[in-house]
């Protein structure tokens, strides 16, 4: 005769998981791409993967929601502050390399330790993720570059970057309080 064993199954609650990696979303309006970062640490590289094709590459644990390959782009807006000063306190990395655009580039970040690396910069010291090393190259922006950084320890490096546009201010960097390199 068999003896039946009664087993009680239950569920045990696990601890909450908070993801530290950022998520980036993309949207296209006409020929201008907008890249929006959330309030976590976002890391992205943007470059021409072939002539006329712009590719977005998530670096580290960052994810990209939306399209990552684009043709016919003329300009890019990076919005890593949610449209509001003092938010998005992630430590963000934005790499723009090996890229040609006929219009402008605007980079706006929130507070945090921000790195903006452009062009054929020296990455031998590991400033940003080594995944970008095979894509490094000159950048040509046809109509202005604006970089607005929040408070924190901010680093901007550029080498081989050409910025064009009409007479006036075609290249502007502004930042909040903190250490700026």
């Amino acid at each position: 005769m068999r003896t039946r064993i009664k087993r009680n199954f239950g569920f045990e609650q696990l601890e909450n998981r908070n993801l530290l990696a950022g998520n980036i979303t993309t949207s296209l309006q006409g020929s201008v791409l907008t890249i929006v970062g959330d309030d976590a640490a976002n890391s992205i590289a943007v470059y021409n993967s072939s002539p006329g094709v712009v590719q977005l590459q998530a670096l580290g644990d960052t994810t990209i929601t939306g399209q990552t390959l684009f043709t016919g782009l003329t300009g890019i807006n990076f919005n890593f502050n949610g449209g509001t000063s003092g938010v998005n306190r992630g430590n963000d990395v934005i790499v723009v390399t090996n890229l040609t655009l006929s219009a402008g580039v605007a980079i706006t970040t929130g507070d945090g330790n921000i790195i903006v690396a452009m062009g054929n910069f020296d990455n031998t010291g590991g400033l940003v993720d080594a995944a970008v090393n095979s894509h490094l190259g000159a950048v040509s922006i046809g109509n202005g570059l604006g970089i607005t950084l929040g408070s924190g320890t901010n680093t901007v490096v550029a080498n081989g970057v050409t910025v064009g546009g009409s007479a006036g201010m075609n290249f502007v960097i502004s930042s909040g309080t903190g250490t700026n390199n």
Side-chain angles (χ1 to χ4, degrees), residues 42-136:
N42 299 287
S43 296
I44 188 170
V46 179
Y47 54 88
N48 285 120
S49 57
S50 61
V53 179
V54 175
Q55 181 165 347
L56 309 184
Q57 179 181 359
L59 302 174
D61 294 329
T62 298
T63 58
I64 298 174
T65 302
Q67 192 174 335
T68 59
L69 285 173
F70 300 88
T71 58
L73 289 184
T74 60
I76 301 176
N77 294 321
F78 292 87
N79 179 351
F80 281 37
N81 77 344
T84 307
S85 179
V87 300
N88 184 359
R89 299 188 189 282
N91 297 330
D92 300 324
V93 175
I94 298 170
V95 176
V96 178
T97 188
N98 192 27
L99 183 67
T100 300
L101 296 170
S102 62
V105 172
I107 299 172
T108 305
T109 71
D111 295 343
N113 300 325
I114 310 301
I115 297 173
V116 176
M118 301 188 73
N120 195 18
F121 61 93
D122 181 4
N123 197 34
T124 56
L127 177 67
V128 300
D129 192 316
V132 305
N133 290 350
S134 64
H135 304 291
L136 292 178

Side-chain angles (χ1 to χ4, degrees), residues 28-39:
L28 186 62
Q29 186 162 0
S31 62
V32 177
L33 173 64
T34 298
I35 301 170
V36 178
D38 64 10
D39 61 356

